[in-house]
Amino acid sequence: MSSSPKSSSDVVRVVDAANAPTFEFGHSAGITVAKVVLSPSNFKNDTNTSSSSSVHVATCGNDGYVVVRDLSTKETIAQLSSSSSKEKKSTDEEEEEEEQKPINAVATFQDKYIAIASDDHSVKLFTKEEGGEEGEKKKWQFKKNITRFALPAKCVAFSSDGKWIACGGEDTMIKVIDVE
């Protein structure tokens, strides 16, 4: 049973490897996860942006960072770290404990949420910070830990309406959680 696309944003354009867009950035050695995100409203919050759909690529990896970039301009839209939720420590010993943990999965919901699943056994939720001046880009900030697993968190996804997060861990648990 096949269905026809409802709009141009539902169409997937397949290109051969020679014509595929490439980027000269990546994460540290190890696995890098990339996810193409069709966003009905831009991740940007500039006054100049149109309300049309945009396409972003969200990447994460063993270096403990998530980077969201605009696919056409290659502009960095957001950059987060697995330790963003922790407060700064004062001594060198405590700073060493704040090592970035590998991020195994990233999920986005429009320009509202970014969620990460990482080796620190948690699934974290980030939102845009409120306020700021007109035309100024808003930064993403840690909102809360969604859940924890006994072993590393391995996957995360939003429901189509953004109200639920499904996540799974290496401990074979699957959790579906209300975002609010």
Side-chain angles (χ1 to χ4, degrees):
M1 177 190 229
S2 67
S3 62
S4 61
K6 295 176 185 160
S7 71
S8 62
S9 66
D10 293 337
V11 176
V12 175
R13 183 174 62 105
V14 178
V15 296
D16 59 53
N19 294 320
T22 59
F23 296 87
E24 293 183 12
F25 63 81
H27 295 269
S28 64
I31 297 170
T32 297
V33 176
K35 181 175 185 174
V36 175
V37 181
L38 293 173
S39 177
S41 59
N42 290 334
F43 271 84
K44 299 180 216 176
N45 199 18
D46 299 339
T47 55
N48 302 345
T49 58
S50 67
S51 61
S52 64
S53 293
S54 60
V55 181
H56 299 94
V57 61
T59 63
C60 62
N62 284 352
D63 59 0
Y65 288 95
V66 170
V67 180
V68 181
R69 292 186 173 88
D70 185 292
L71 196 56
S72 60
T73 66
K74 299 183 183 179
E75 176 186 3
T76 299
I77 305 302
Q79 185 166 352
L80 313 168
S81 74
S82 62
S83 65
S84 292
S85 65
K86 298 178 183 174
E87 294 178 18
K88 297 287 182 190
K89 309 285 183 180
S90 58
T91 66
D92 291 335
E93 289 178 337
E94 288 176 320
E95 285 178 12
E96 288 177 17
E97 293 176 27
E98 203 173 320
E99 177 185 332
Q100 298 289 82
K101 298 291 185 179
I103 299 174
N104 301 312
V106 59
T108 63
F109 179 71
Q110 298 176 0
D111 64 345
K112 191 172 181 180
Y113 299 121
I114 296 176
I116 63 170
S118 68
D119 270 8
D120 71 356
H121 305 203
S122 70
V123 175
K124 293 178 174 69
L125 183 68
F126 294 83
T127 59
K128 277 190 181 175
E129 69 183 15
E130 296 300 321
E133 304 222 0
E134 184 80 21
E136 181 182 331
K137 283 187 189 176
K138 293 186 178 182
K139 295 182 182 178
W140 289 84
Q141 66 182 6
F142 172 78
K143 182 175 181 181
K144 63 182 173 182
N145 278 317
I146 295 292
T147 191
R148 291 194 53 80
F149 290 91
L151 294 171
K154 292 295 189 179
C155 61
V156 62
F158 282 96
S159 63
S160 61
D161 61 4
K163 293 182 180 180
W164 299 92
I165 289 181
C167 46
E170 202 170 290
D171 58 4
T172 71
M173 294 293 295
I174 296 172
K175 300 178 182 184
V176 180
I177 300 161
D178 185 332
V179 172
E180 294 302 320

